[in-house]
Amino acid sequence: MSVIFSKTSGLTETATHYCPGCTHGIAHRLVAEVLEELGLLGETIGCASVGCSILSYNYLNVDMIECSHGRAPAVATGIKRTVPEKTVFTYQGDGDLASIGTAEIVHAAHRGENITVIFVNNAIYGMTGGQMAPTTLAGQKTTTAPEGRQPEFSGLPLKMSEMLAQVPSASYVERVSLHHPKYIRKAKKAVLRAFTCQMEHRGFSLVELLSTCPTGWGLDPIDSLEWLEANMIPYYPLGVFRAPEEV
Amino acid sequence: MKGNEALALAAIHGGCTHFFGYPITPQNEIPEFLARELPKAGGLFLQAESEIAAVNMLYGAAAAGARAMISSSSPGLALMQEGISMLAATEIPCVIVNVMRGGPGLGGIQPAQSDYFQMTRGGGNGDYRIISLAPATLQESAEMMQEAFALAQKYRTPVFIVSDGMLGQMMEPVELNKSRSKERVAEQPWILTGHHNNRSPRTIKSLRLDPAELEIHNLRLQEKYKRISQAEVRFEAYREVDAELLFCAFGSTARIVKNSVDDLHQKGYRAGLIRPQTLWPFPALAFRSLPKSCRSVICVEMNCGQMLDDVKLAVEGRVPVHFYGRCGGMIPEPEELTARALDILSGDSQ
Amino acid sequence: MYSERILCAGFGGQGVMSLGKLIAYAGMLDGRHVTWMPSYGPEMRGGTANCSVVVADQPVGSPIVTTNATCLIVMNLPSFEKFQHSVSSGGLILFNTSLIDRQVERRDVLAQPLAANELAAECANPKAANMVMLGAYMGLKGAPRLDHVVKAMKKVFGDGSSTLFNQNMKAVRKGMEAVGKVTASKKAA
Ligand SMILES: Cc1ncc(C[n+]2csc(CCOP(=O)(O)OP(=O)(O)O)c2C)c(N)n1
Ligand code: SF4
């Protein structure tokens, strides 16, 4: 009998604290599997950001550092510039990356920093209890937008991948989704390409993963997957926004 | 209503017109409440992209005449320090709430008093002071919130409300003073309104490259701080008159100390409490004239000894000053305090 | 001197928070000092929820009950295992046997089992298990007063005329009766 599914050694045995139906767990697995397949687990340093994924250092079988809210790309810069031979990545939520951390992410891209950014976009602040994020969709209800996000008051949701693809020194930017196995397979390829990009010294790479937050959205896990597909994908189109020539 | 919500409602009654904030536990109920209620009261709620942005939005709004406030918790306050220094330098009246949690770094989210230094010494640059109000009950939280706006206007200064996760999350009965302050700020002679071509332009600024000019400005600020120190010191003294052992504690810790003081009295010991209600200006005078009976002081905090410095400075070595602290979000129990007090009392009587 | 330190625990959706609020609110109407304090933050994510209630003649110091609880009202097994040792000697453990198939190990406390889910279902509202627990608590402690609970219920849930309100009150009475019965049968045995 052959083993058809075995847990990746990139994940620890620790049970995650994520809510039922939260796709953070899937995002973790993709990162872990890719690093394992590239044989990089022992050569990687991860930067955990402030958000529900802050405890990712308990789940990913790599050396990791905890960063202040929004600052992971700057911390990653410091690490990569000190040990350029290591693989360095950040794992950031949308509050972390698209709100408080916009300066850091733009300037990491701007310098063409040779790091990989795993950007989990669930259109809300999960950890703090469902407040509006810059990525919250128009009309979407949150605890700080009780009537739903009103674009004329709060603007339209930020499209970070599109924005960062415009930064001249960015190298690889792709948006994928985690709502369905078929898409998850695509997402894994994107994560693989991003890390490969780094190994080939091509500079800044980022994968945006559209994700669910059943708790913050007030939906059950299945409805959340459907909500993502029906609402997020039309506004946040999937695809490669920036790629170096032959990746 | 949770403490945070009572604070937010009291802010509306206190005439708050503008709120800016960024999510952080354990203060989230303040922005969430104001997101719902402030617009109904004709005010503005705006979520900032960070605490740095929030404090600068506050600066702008108050400079343009708003009765404005922000709130955050410990790590967020740390980010705001640059802006707070600016607010102090430019003498902008506004209110800043800190619902403290455990530190340093991200620390934890459970109640702590880890920011006494941050709230009384500041992390921002320069010689400045900020009035720091420390409530111990929800009733007092609400009252201080309303008063904070008045103090801010009176002295043209930012005012801190120093709460913590316990006061923020708990519920207890509160009676709100609903007479909403109608006091308008907009007429003051420094507010940026546009000069309408009938007066010279106003500037709000902190940069003073001429050392002599900067010194004059700083001395004027110091003069103001002195006036505040003389007029606005507040503290509660509880069973202090014939106390042998005097506790000093603020905020939620003081609630627990009171239990212990009563407990000690039942056991036949004379203990009392000085509870600073203003952390700055610190009620040093409460310690300058210690009751004759007082043989030692014990400072109790939910940190590793921060207010302790001020207590020692105020006691000036006249009696020994002890310390008892819990930190990280651990809450002292009255029994622990009583046991520590008994140790001190028995040591003293030898 | 009256001083009740109550810990209400269960999982999210069982209504332990509102159970605590009702005891606190009615306690206030009884003329006592009260506080209510929830657990908060990501610790809630695992699905467990708890709150502390203090009802006393004196102003309340710490609103957080971690040790020295005089009463534990517990609705599910994980909370039961976590908190049964938070009760001080001589205290009361009121536990929901619908979801807790264990016995209280301690001998120094009063243990009161109650099949709250079943009893609530009998009142046509299986979600009112928390109200059954409230009734049992009132039955055993003699406080807070029933009319104050009615008032508190209107305050916490609004509208005293709705069917929900009536079901809840029925469940409270059910809880009161149940402890009457159980204590009686214990005596008989
Ligand atoms: C300076 C600072 N401000 C605020 C916070 C509180 N905080 C913790 S997590 C978080 C939001 C995280 O949201 P997101 O990045 O979208 O990740 P998610 O939880 O949704 O995965 C915030 C604002 C903090 N820790 N530090
Ligand atoms: S709050 Fe949202 S993002 Fe956080 S663990 Fe739960 S589902 Fe996931």
Side-chain angles (χ1 to χ4, degrees), chain C residues 89-151:
Chain C
S89 192
L92 167 69
I93 298 182
L94 200 57
F95 63 111
N96 178 14
T97 52
S98 308
L99 294 173
I100 302 167
D101 57 351
R102 306 273 159 87
Q103 284 306 313
V104 174
E105 290 153 21
R106 297 177 51 183
R107 289 283 154 262
D108 61 337
V109 295
L110 178 66
Q112 175 68 64
L114 204 69
N117 289 33
E118 281 83 2
L119 289 171
E122 287 173 23
C123 308
N125 183 2
K127 280 196 173 160
N130 58 341
M131 298 298 136
V132 175
M133 292 304 243
L134 171 62
Y137 175 82
M138 291 159 65
L140 289 168
K141 294 276 181 175
R145 272 169 45 184
L146 183 61
D147 55 330
H148 289 160
V149 170
V150 171
K151 236 177 158 178

Side-chain angles (χ1 to χ4, degrees), chain B residues 51-123:
Chain B
E51 291 84 352
I52 299 177
V55 72
N56 285 292
M57 289 172 182
L58 174 74
Y59 179 47
R67 233 167 139 91
M69 70 176 281
I70 53 179
S71 76
S72 190
S73 176
S74 309
L77 257 291
L79 269 185
M80 290 172 176
Q81 292 293 355
E82 174 198 54
I84 293 169
S85 171
M86 194 73 173
L87 289 165
T90 53
E91 301 180 84
I92 300 289
C94 58
V95 178
I96 302 172
V97 177
N98 181 5
V99 185
M100 293 184 289
R101 59 191 231 178
L106 291 173
I109 56 167
Q110 297 305 317
Q113 298 181 319
S114 55
D115 294 352
Y116 182 88
F117 285 153
Q118 210 180 194
M119 295 289 93
T120 58
R121 307 298 194 271

Side-chain angles (χ1 to χ4, degrees), chain A residues 24 50-53 69 92-97 100 122 124-128, chain B residues 22-25 51 75-76 79 101 106:
Chain A
H24 266 305
V50 171
C52 283
S53 63
H69 197 17
Q92 301 176 259
D94 48 333
D96 193 81
L97 182 141
I100 194 168
N122 57 16
I124 208 157
Y125 287 86
M127 174 88 143
T128 41
Chain B
Y22 186 73
I24 186 164
T25 313
E51 291 84 352
L79 269 185
R101 59 191 231 178
L106 291 173

Side-chain angles (χ1 to χ4, degrees), chain B residues 113-252:
Chain B
Q113 298 181 319
S114 55
D115 294 352
Y116 182 88
F117 285 153
Q118 210 180 194
M119 295 289 93
T120 58
R121 307 298 194 271
N125 57 304
D127 281 316
Y128 69 90
R129 293 290 190 175
I130 294 199
I131 299 176
S132 209
L133 304 175
T137 62
L138 299 203
Q139 184 65 39
E140 202 176 30
S141 298
E143 285 163 11
M144 282 182 168
M145 185 74 231
Q146 281 171 273
E147 198 190 354
F149 282 103
L151 283 171
Q153 298 299 336
K154 181 171 175 195
Y155 293 103
R156 264 189 78 180
T157 175
V159 175
F160 285 141
I161 303 273
V162 187
S163 176
D164 64 41
M166 184 156 114
L167 291 169
Q169 295 295 324
M170 69 187 277
M171 290 190 183
E172 70 184 350
V174 194
E175 258 178 59
L176 287 163
N177 169 6
K178 296 208 179 84
S179 60
R180 183 167 181 210
S181 172
K182 292 269 171 1
E183 193 189 336
R184 294 300 311 158
V185 199
E187 281 79 50
Q188 309 221 15
W190 50 269
I191 286 174
L192 305 183
T193 58
H195 58 54
H196 305 299
N197 293 320
N198 63 12
R199 61 161 170 77
S200 51
R202 290 172 182 164
T203 31
I204 290 181
K205 64 164 194 169
S206 72
L207 181 71
R208 290 177 176 81
L209 292 173
D210 174 3
E213 189 194 335
L214 180 54
E215 186 179 50
I216 290 170
H217 176 68
N218 282 344
L219 292 177
R220 202 177 52 72
L221 288 180
Q222 292 304 315
E223 184 55 40
K224 173 167 86 175
Y225 298 148
K226 206 166 145 194
R227 271 189 289 129
I228 298 174
S229 312
Q230 280 158 359
E232 306 298 345
V233 174
R234 276 155 227 199
F235 63 95
E236 180 198 9
Y238 179 70
R239 304 189 101 159
E240 85 296 354
V241 185
D242 60 349
E244 219 180 310
L245 174 67
L246 205 52
F247 282 94
C248 180
F250 73 96
S252 48

Side-chain angles (χ1 to χ4, degrees), chain B residues 298 322-324 335-345:
Chain B
I298 174 169
H322 304 270
F323 177 72
Y324 187 82
E335 295 76 22
E336 297 170 56
L337 304 181
T338 304
R340 181 82 172 89
L342 290 176
D343 275 353
I344 295 169
L345 286 164

